[in-house]
């Protein structure tokens, strides 16, 4: 960037062009007239882009750098003293206006009796994108305020060199273009000759094929020669024709093997189900069932009807597989219809009769309900639908297969079992004496904090009076943790959704801001409801701003009608997704279930999906009073995994896992099994409320254990290198 002073009878200001570089200094004391300790003076800056005034409306001006003594190195660069103080100032959108103008307020902290200010000025938009000047310096000398730029060189030599390079580049491009044109012309001539030869060969093949078919008919009618000898010749000719033109084989291969795409938010049918055939191109269908039926009817008709019939003696190509595949797929697609006799009516609705006075009926194809192809309440994905088709038993046909017309099966998922895990044991315990965590600790959430270069764990803590708050601890190795004390207490305000306590934290750091999602309690005691999902933010982990309720119970959505529980937040593309569990009334039972909510912004608003996603867990084990929740969602390679807790397996009260594909995410979960056992004293009662973090191919599974140590936070590890 270049920065120059402009006067011409007007107040001094700085002009900044984001596309130039240079070095200059200017006295602007005629305008500013400030001394050390002056405060609140405004420095106007006009922003340009390649000589044109920028639109800076809605942007936030800022200034940042250091104040103190300095020296220059061998390259004439400014180097600040080690004891220099960091200074910054950030304005608001009110400090920008039309014409590229931004007002920078030079507060007293920007000035020093000795030394200089050295740093940058810049602009920031609402998304955090920053434009900054090159490094600037200014100092106060008596009544003068001197400004300068630190980038040293920008001369005519550079522009001259650029012009020389451009001239040489133009010549190189010109020479290359001429050589390329000659080569293309030669290739086109060769291709034209080759096409002419291929057309002649195809014409000869067609004549030979026609003659061969006619000859075969004469031979079969008169039994002139042995059929075995003739069929051998026909097969040889057929193979030659296939090798000359394989368009049909390519089309069939696309139909039989191409993947099927789906809209991840479609259930129970796929909105955009395609088989990647060049015959079908990009046509969209309302459901997967419609897609399968329609497309294979097109293929079948292409091969057998409309004047393009292929003689049956040629169906045996490719070792007989082509005929079998086409017939099998067509029969399966037709099985998805059912026929019905409908009366034939005129426009007035009167039954039409034939010449003998009999009723006329129309045999009509009626599409069967597509949901018959998938399990109830499950998303219709290509693999599951293929398996359902494969299970259909046709009385008149001996047919197997079915997956071949759909997308390929997902890669094999990692099997997390208790035997593969390594128990580390408790890592955070309650004090059992007094203080914010005297009674119990549970529900961990961990991030790597680049500000402190260590891991931060936030967790739920209850004191002797059963009042919940959030504590935190530090670690450098994810095993040894040092408690730091209480991080957040409830605001005590009903309007913030956390009048009587805060628990169940989930911590993220995004764009330099700590976002602490937590459960706001509104009654005394452990998890006193009704419970809301709330949010607080901070820039330093000390001063918190309560943002209020993010998700609250909603009687119109049965599974979240009463309370909201433990969140897990992920950013997928441009969306933020909160997985959480909640309780409500399902089929007359009070139960906990898992679902999700989506927002375009980390702080909301979030829209709750009305359909829960925990059907995979509800189908396992005992359904009486099931609790399924505490989701911890993460991705390994090309699959998504969920560690969660449920109580549907008698006395085995432990964390379990499920998995799904990116095409089905955030739905389509498949049950995996338990990942831990209640086999040690400290976890005899419970091993639940999971949190997962992965580092160096080690998966760290933190959970809340209950046993001889009371409620504590424990750790189990999985070595992912042993799962490959």
């Amino acid at each position: 960037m270049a920065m120059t002073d402009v006067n011409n009878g007007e107040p001094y200001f700085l002009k900044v062009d984001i596309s130039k570089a240079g070095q200059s200094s200017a006295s602007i004391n005629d305008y500013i007239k400030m001394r050390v300790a002056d405060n609140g003076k405004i420095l106007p800056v006009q922003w340009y882009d390649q000589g044109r005034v920028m639109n800076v409306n809605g942007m936030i001006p800022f200034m940042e750098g250091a104040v103190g003594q300095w020296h220059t190195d061998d390259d004439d660069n400014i180097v600040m003293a080690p004891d220099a103080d960091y200074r910054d100032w950030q304005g608001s959108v009110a400090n920008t206006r039309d014409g590229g103008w931004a007002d920078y307020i030079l507060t007293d902290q920007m000035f020093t009796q000795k030394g200089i200010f050295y740093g940058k000025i810049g602009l920031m938009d609402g998304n955090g994108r920053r434009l900054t000047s090159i490094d600037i310096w200014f100092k106060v000398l008596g009544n003068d305020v001197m400004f300068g730029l630190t980038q040293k060189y920008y001369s005519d030599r550079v522009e001259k060199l650029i012009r020389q390079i451009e001239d040489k580049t133009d010549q190189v491009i010109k020479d290359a273009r001429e050589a390329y044109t000659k080569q293309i012309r030669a290739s086109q001539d060769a291709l034209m000759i080759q096409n002419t030869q291929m057309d002649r060969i195809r014409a000869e093949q067609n004549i030979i094929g026609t003659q061969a078919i006619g000859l075969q008919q004469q031979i079969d009618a008169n039994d002139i020669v042995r059929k075995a000898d003739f069929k051998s010749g026909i097969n040889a000719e057929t193979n030659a024709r296939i090798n000359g033109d394989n368009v049909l084989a390519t089309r069939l291969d696309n139909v039989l093997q191409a993947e099927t795409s789906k809209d991840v938010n479609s259930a129970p049918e796929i909105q955009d189900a395609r088989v990647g055939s060049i015959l079908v191109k990009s046509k969209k269908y309302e459901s997967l069932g419609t897609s399968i039926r329609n497309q294979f009817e097109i293929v079948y008709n292409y091969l057998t009807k409309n004047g393009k019939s292929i003689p049956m003696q040629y169906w045996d190509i490719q070792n007989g597989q082509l005929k079998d595949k086409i017939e099998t797929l067509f029969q399966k697609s037709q099985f998805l219809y059912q026929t019905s006799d409908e009366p034939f009516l005129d426009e007035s609705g009167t039954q039409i009769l034939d010449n003998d006075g009999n009723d006329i009926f129309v045999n009509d194809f009626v599409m069967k309900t597509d949901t018959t192809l998938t399990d109830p309440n499950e998303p219709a994905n290509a693999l599951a639908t293929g398996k359902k088709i494969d299970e259909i038993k046709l009385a008149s046909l001996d047919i197997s297969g079915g997956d071949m017309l759909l997308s390929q099966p997902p890669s094999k998922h990692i099997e997390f079992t208790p035997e593969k895990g390594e128990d580390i044991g408790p890592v955070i315990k309650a004090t059992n004496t007094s203080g914010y965590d005297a009674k119990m600790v549970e529900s961990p959430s961990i991030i790597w904090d680049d500000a402190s270069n260590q891991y931060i764990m936030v967790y739920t803590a209850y004191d002797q009076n059963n009042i919940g708050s959030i504590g935190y601890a530090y670690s450098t190795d994810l095993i040894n943790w040092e408690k730091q004390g209480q991080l957040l207490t409830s605001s005590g305000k009903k309007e913030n959704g956390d009048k009587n306590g805060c628990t169940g934290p989930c911590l993220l750091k995004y764009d330099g801001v700590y976002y602490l999602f937590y459960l706001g309690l509104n009654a005394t005691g452990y998890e006193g409801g009704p419970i809301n999902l709330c949010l607080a933010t901070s820039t330093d982990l000390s001063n918190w701003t309560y943002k209020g309720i993010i998700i609250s119970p909603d009687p119109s959505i049965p599974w979240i009608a009463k309370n909201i529980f433990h969140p897990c937040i992920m950013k997928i593309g441009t969306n933020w997704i909160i997985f959480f569990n909640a309780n409500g009334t399902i089929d007359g039972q009070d139960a906990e279930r898992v679902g999700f909510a989506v927002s375009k912004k980390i702080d909301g608003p979030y829209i709750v999906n009305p359909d829960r996603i925990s059907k995979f867990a509800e189908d396992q084990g005992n359904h009486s009073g099931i609790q399924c929740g505490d989701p911890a969602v993460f991705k390994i390679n090309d699959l998504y995994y969920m560690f969660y807790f449920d109580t549907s397996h008698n006395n085995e009260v432990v964390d379990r896992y499920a998995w799904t594909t990116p095409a089905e995410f955030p739905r389509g979960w498949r049950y995996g099994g338990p990942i831990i056992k209640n086999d040690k004293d400290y976890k005899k009662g419970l091993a639940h409320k999971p949190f997962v973090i992965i580092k160096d191919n080690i998966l760290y599974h933190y959970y809340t254990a209950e046993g001889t140590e009371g409620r504590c936070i424990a750790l189990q590890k999985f070595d992912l290198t042993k799962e490959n």
Side-chain angles (χ1 to χ4, degrees):
M1 296 185 180
M3 186 180 298
T4 60
D5 61 315
V6 182
N7 186 22
N8 296 326
E10 299 294 328
Y12 277 91
F13 63 94
L14 297 184
K15 178 187 294 185
V16 178
D17 193 314
I18 66 172
S19 300
K20 296 291 185 182
Q23 181 182 30
S24 63
S25 63
S27 171
I28 58 174
N29 65 297
D30 289 341
Y31 168 64
I32 295 182
K33 297 294 185 184
M34 64 178 64
R35 297 179 178 87
V36 175
D38 280 358
N39 185 18
K41 293 296 184 179
I42 297 175
L43 170 63
V45 175
Q46 189 174 33
W47 288 80
Y48 286 75
D49 186 357
Q50 298 185 4
R52 297 182 179 180
V53 174
M54 289 178 56
N55 179 11
V56 299
N57 286 320
M59 304 188 79
I60 300 171
F62 66 89
M63 180 181 297
E64 58 188 19
V67 172
Q69 296 287 23
W70 59 281
H71 69 274
T72 56
D73 58 19
D74 294 339
D75 295 324
D76 206 25
N77 295 316
I78 291 176
V79 178
M80 298 299 293
D83 61 350
D85 294 325
Y86 178 79
R87 297 286 189 256
D88 65 2
W89 170 85
Q90 180 173 304
S92 67
V93 294
N95 296 111
T96 56
R97 58 188 188 276
D98 293 337
W101 289 103
D103 293 332
Y104 292 77
I105 300 176
L106 302 179
T107 62
D108 58 342
Q109 64 176 333
M110 299 297 179
F111 295 89
T112 175
Q113 188 71 34
K114 297 180 181 180
I116 65 171
F117 171 91
Y118 172 62
K120 294 181 174 64
I121 62 173
L123 295 169
M124 179 170 58
D125 64 18
N127 296 321
R129 186 172 66 93
R130 294 158 57 96
L131 297 173
T132 62
S133 70
I134 62 174
D135 291 341
I136 67 171
W137 59 267
F138 62 82
K139 59 185 176 181
V140 179
L141 296 175
N143 292 335
D144 287 347
V145 179
M146 299 297 296
F147 270 77
L149 312 182
T150 64
Q151 187 159 331
K152 190 172 182 180
Y153 297 106
Y154 184 82
S155 67
D156 292 337
R157 290 186 300 161
V158 177
E159 293 185 349
K160 182 178 180 180
L161 180 59
I162 291 174
R163 287 194 295 271
Q164 291 175 349
I165 293 174
E166 289 175 345
D167 292 339
K168 292 182 179 179
T169 302
D170 290 340
Q171 186 61 42
V172 171
I173 293 174
K174 180 179 179 181
D175 295 341
R177 183 181 292 113
E178 291 177 355
Y180 178 76
T181 301
K182 293 179 181 179
Q183 186 176 0
I184 288 297
R185 288 175 180 172
S187 299
Q188 289 175 339
D189 293 340
L191 181 61
M192 185 177 299
I193 295 173
Q194 184 179 5
N195 288 339
T196 301
Q197 293 174 345
M198 290 184 67
D199 290 340
R200 179 175 55 81
I201 292 172
R202 287 194 178 96
E204 292 174 356
Q205 288 177 338
N206 290 335
I207 294 173
I208 293 173
T210 302
Q211 292 173 347
I213 294 173
L215 181 59
Q216 177 66 51
Q217 293 173 347
Q218 294 179 20
I219 291 174
D220 290 342
N222 298 286
D223 199 19
I224 296 175
V225 297
R226 292 175 56 188
K227 291 184 178 180
D229 294 337
F230 177 77
K231 286 184 177 180
S232 176
I234 287 294
N235 288 338
E237 173 60 22
T238 301
N239 289 334
R241 294 181 64 184
I242 293 172
N243 292 333
D245 189 357
N246 61 359
V247 173
L248 176 60
T250 300
R251 289 173 174 171
L252 291 173
D253 183 67
N254 284 340
V255 172
L256 299 178
Q257 298 182 16
E259 293 186 354
T260 303
S261 64
K262 73 183 286 290
D263 181 345
V264 297
N265 289 319
S266 61
E269 278 287 330
I270 296 175
Q271 297 287 342
D272 181 6
R274 305 177 195 156
V275 176
S277 168
I278 58 177
L279 296 176
V280 179
K281 300 185 185 302
S282 60
K283 183 176 181 181
K284 295 184 178 181
Y285 299 90
E286 63 185 3
S287 70
L288 181 61
T290 302
S291 170
I292 295 170
R293 287 187 290 270
N294 185 282
Q295 294 173 58
F296 276 104
E297 188 168 358
I298 292 174
V299 174
Y300 188 82
N301 289 337
Y302 178 85
L303 296 174
T304 62
K305 299 178 182 180
N306 301 325
K308 297 181 180 180
S309 176
I310 297 178
M312 293 305 295
Q313 59 262 40
Y314 297 130
W315 276 109
D316 293 329
I317 63 175
Q318 297 181 348
N319 299 322
Q321 295 179 359
L322 180 60
K323 175 184 176 182
D324 292 341
K325 287 182 179 179
I326 294 301
E327 289 290 353
T328 296
L329 296 174
F330 181 72
Q331 291 296 334
K332 285 191 175 184
S333 69
Q334 293 305 301
F335 184 76
L336 303 180
Y337 288 95
Q338 58 188 7
T339 59
S340 63
D341 289 331
E342 298 290 339
F344 194 33
L345 308 178
D346 61 17
E347 293 182 355
S348 64
T350 304
Q351 173 72 56
I352 298 176
L353 307 178
D354 61 17
N355 292 334
D356 297 326
N358 299 317
D359 292 340
I360 298 177
F361 290 92
V362 178
N363 187 259
D364 189 23
F365 279 101
V366 179
M367 183 175 66
K368 287 186 177 180
T369 304
D370 286 332
T371 54
T372 59
L373 299 180
T374 56
D375 292 326
N377 298 322
E378 285 291 325
N381 64 83
L383 179 63
T385 306
K387 290 181 177 179
K388 286 296 179 181
I389 295 176
D390 192 41
E391 294 170 359
I392 296 174
K393 304 300 182 182
L394 302 180
S396 59
L397 295 172
D398 180 16
I399 295 177
S400 61
D403 292 349
M404 57 185 173
L405 74 153
L406 302 167
S407 64
Q408 296 297 317
S411 60
K412 187 178 185 303
H413 69 277
I414 297 174
E415 295 181 356
F416 294 98
T417 64
E419 293 73 23
K420 294 180 180 180
E422 176 188 357
D423 285 323
I424 304 300
V427 295
I428 298 285
K429 299 179 183 179
T431 62
N432 294 321
T433 55
S434 62
Y436 71 98
D437 62 349
K439 188 171 185 179
M440 70 175 73
V441 292
E442 64 176 15
S443 304
S445 174
I446 301 169
I447 66 168
W448 169 259
D449 183 34
D450 52 4
S452 59
N453 287 322
Q454 55 192 331
Y455 292 98
I456 299 177
M457 176 195 291
V458 293
Y459 57 89
T460 295
Y462 278 93
D463 64 14
Q464 290 289 8
N465 297 317
N466 244 4
I467 297 176
S469 63
I470 295 171
Y472 72 118
Y474 285 146
S475 174
T476 57
D477 60 6
L478 290 171
I479 296 178
N480 300 291
W481 293 88
E482 293 291 334
K483 289 184 182 179
Q484 302 299 309
Q486 200 171 40
L487 183 69
L488 185 75
T489 60
S490 69
S491 69
K493 297 180 180 179
K494 183 177 180 181
E495 59 269 25
N496 286 337
D498 63 347
K499 186 176 187 302
N500 290 89
C502 53
T503 63
C506 180
L507 180 65
L508 290 87
K509 190 175 185 182
Y510 183 68
D511 280 350
V513 177
Y514 298 94
Y515 291 83
L516 183 59
F517 294 82
Y518 65 94
L519 305 182
L521 310 184
N522 290 281
T524 58
Y526 179 75
E527 293 187 345
I531 303 176
N532 303 300
L533 179 60
C534 304
L535 174 63
T537 61
S538 174
T539 57
D540 56 10
L541 291 176
S542 297
N543 302 291
W544 291 91
T545 300
Y546 294 94
K547 296 294 186 178
I549 299 172
I550 299 299
I551 300 174
S552 60
D554 185 352
S556 68
I557 304 177
W559 70 276
I560 66 166
K562 297 181 179 179
N563 291 295
I564 309 299
F565 293 115
H566 300 84
C568 174
I569 295 93
M570 303 179 69
K571 190 173 191 293
I572 306 295
T574 60
N575 291 319
W576 290 90
I577 301 179
I578 298 181
F579 292 91
F580 65 97
N581 56 308
N583 78 310
T585 302
I586 307 296
D587 299 329
Q589 284 191 10
D590 183 77
E592 291 184 17
R593 299 291 188 263
V594 176
F596 64 91
V598 180
S599 175
K600 290 294 184 184
K601 299 173 60 179
I602 187 173
D603 55 355
Y606 281 87
I607 305 301
V608 177
N609 189 284
D611 299 321
R612 63 193 190 274
I613 61 173
S614 52
K615 186 65 166 57
F616 71 92
E618 299 167 33
D619 289 340
Q620 305 293 325
N622 171 32
H623 285 262
S624 177
I626 181 176
Q627 292 182 350
C628 172
D630 307 339
V633 181
F634 55 96
K635 187 177 184 183
I636 300 178
N637 298 327
D638 60 345
L639 294 177
Y640 286 92
Y641 294 84
M642 178 196 298
F643 282 11
Y644 70 97
F645 162 71
D646 78 54
T647 62
S648 64
H649 298 262
N650 300 321
N651 294 324
E652 190 183 42
V653 185
V654 296
D655 285 341
R656 302 176 181 277
Y657 82 98
W659 61 277
T660 188
T661 65
E664 299 163 283
F665 183 85
R667 301 180 179 86
W669 296 95
R670 299 157 175 83
Y671 178 73
I675 59 179
I676 196 169
K677 291 182 178 180
N678 302 121
D679 58 353
K680 289 183 172 58
D681 289 342
Y682 66 86
K683 55 177 178 175
K684 281 289 187 182
L686 296 169
H688 69 327
K689 300 180 184 290
F691 179 84
V692 171
I693 188 169
I694 298 173
K695 181 179 183 294
D696 297 334
N697 280 319
I698 300 297
L699 184 148
Y700 295 80
H701 166 220
Y702 294 86
Y703 60 95
T704 301
E706 184 172 284
T708 55
E709 302 289 342
R711 282 214 174 189
C712 62
I713 296 171
L715 172 61
Q716 176 195 39
K717 296 197 305 181
F718 289 91
D719 187 347
L720 300 180
T721 62
K722 297 180 180 179
E723 299 293 338
N724 296 331

